[in-house]
Amino acid sequence: MPELPEVETTVRGLAPVLEGARIERVTLRRGDLRRPFPQDLGQRLTGATVTGLGRRAKYGLIETDRGDTMVFHLGMSGRWRIDPEELGKHDHFVIETAKHRLALNDARRFGSIDLVPTEALDEWPAFKALGPEPLGPNFDAAHLARVFKDRIAPVKALLLDQRVVAGLGNIYVCEALFLARIAPTRAAGTITRARLAKLVDAVREVLEAAIRAGGSTLRDYARPDGELGYFAKEWRVYGREGEPCACGGLVERRVDSGRSTFWCPRCQK
């Protein structure tokens, strides 16, 4: 599933062709993805000018001069295609400007598109309970100390809780915990403030490296320009069960709540 770096990469890829452009035409090639498209989606977008693009957690944001923000989620297999020569059967939503055609391609149809008044974004149900952005100023050791206080739940499970921090997914939590040398099974409330500071730095380092690499390519994900992200080549533990760690230990895999966790028991405590 595309995670924060993949969505950030997508938004950055769309910005040069969409920002400042007037939407000339909107085509809905089916009635829904994970849920139905907003009934007035085409009417509210057609003729609007894109004033900015952004990201919140794992959602992409496309703002218009009509006070609306189109919120998209890539689901498990979604990706935007810029100027495809032909539209395919999985290109379900199409935006056309004077110079470009952009198609949201989603073979599994677990993605979504919503249209939200920009001034109401913070109160939109999907956003209202989200924690701070991991690359933003409100994500720090003090925040983690506060939400982890007296918690016996594993640190990995809490980092995946979108109410604790927005946008983190399985791959990057595994990688960040390894970089911080913290066991994913460790009770969150037992981690010292100094180690939490290292964890914050590790989360940021992993996410920034993944964004530079264009994300990780899993199954159908690709950047808007069609290129594949190559951060998977930099994975230290994820997907490396049985391989040697630099410390001399071996990477192990366990399954928690249906998710694979990769870690090195020798150096992660």
Side-chain angles (χ1 to χ4, degrees):
M1 177 180 292
E3 297 184 15
L4 184 155
E6 289 76 40
V7 179
E8 181 68 27
T9 300
T10 294
V11 168
R12 294 184 185 186
L14 293 176
V17 298
L18 265 186
E19 193 158 11
R22 183 178 184 272
I23 298 174
E24 304 284 345
R25 183 178 180 185
V26 173
T27 304
L28 282 62
R29 304 185 74 215
R30 59 176 299 116
D32 60 2
L33 291 176
R34 187 172 66 215
R35 55 178 178 271
F37 292 122
Q39 289 187 350
D40 56 353
L41 180 63
Q43 179 182 355
R44 288 165 66 182
L45 289 180
T46 302
T49 297
V50 176
T51 56
L53 290 91
R55 178 194 53 76
R56 180 70 170 112
K58 300 177 186 179
Y59 293 84
L61 310 175
I62 300 175
E63 301 177 13
T64 77
D65 62 349
R66 292 182 177 172
D68 290 322
T69 294
M70 193 185 87
V71 183
F72 67 86
H73 194 287
L74 297 175
M76 296 186 69
S77 61
R79 63 188 181 98
W80 285 93
R81 301 204 300 147
I82 298 176
D83 295 327
E85 292 185 7
E86 296 182 0
L87 294 177
K89 67 177 182 178
H90 299 307
D91 291 322
H92 304 307
F93 176 77
V94 181
I95 290 176
E96 294 178 69
T97 69
K99 296 182 179 180
H100 298 283
R101 178 168 67 176
L102 299 95
L104 180 58
N105 183 284
D106 189 354
R108 298 189 178 193
R109 301 201 309 272
F110 284 125
S112 62
I113 288 181
D114 294 278
L115 200 57
V116 183
T118 302
E119 63 180 13
L121 269 179
D122 289 343
E123 296 300 311
W124 190 51
F127 289 175
K128 190 172 183 179
L130 288 177
E133 288 287 326
L135 296 176
N138 295 325
F139 179 65
D140 56 19
H143 168 72
L144 288 183
R146 183 169 58 255
V147 296
F148 286 178
K149 183 176 173 59
D150 299 328
R151 299 291 298 271
I152 62 173
V155 59
K156 185 194 174 194
L158 291 186
L159 289 176
L160 289 172
D161 186 335
Q162 300 299 291
R163 297 167 298 179
V164 171
V165 54
L168 291 186
N170 195 43
I171 295 172
Y172 301 106
V173 168
C174 286
E175 290 292 303
L177 286 170
F178 173 76
L179 201 59
R181 298 297 187 262
I182 296 174
T185 54
R186 187 179 181 92
T190 67
I191 304 174
T192 65
R193 179 70 72 93
R195 298 192 77 193
L196 290 178
K198 291 182 179 179
L199 178 57
V200 168
D201 289 342
V203 166
R204 289 180 173 152
E205 181 176 338
V206 166
L207 292 178
E208 289 168 353
I211 291 168
R212 288 195 299 270
S216 301
T217 298
L218 289 175
R219 298 193 179 126
D220 303 311
Y221 170 73
R223 301 184 310 200
D225 61 5
E227 294 295 320
L228 302 179
Y230 56 88
F231 186 67
K233 297 179 180 178
E234 300 180 29
W235 289 347
R236 297 172 173 89
V237 287
Y238 192 85
R240 294 187 55 198
E241 179 184 10
E243 295 184 27
C245 174
C247 73
L250 292 178
V251 175
E252 293 187 6
R253 172 181 174 268
R254 55 180 288 143
V255 178
D256 301 297
S257 302
R259 290 189 179 101
S260 292
T261 297
F262 297 90
W263 64 307
C264 174
R266 180 169 178 173
C267 66
Q268 290 179 253
K269 305 295 182 181

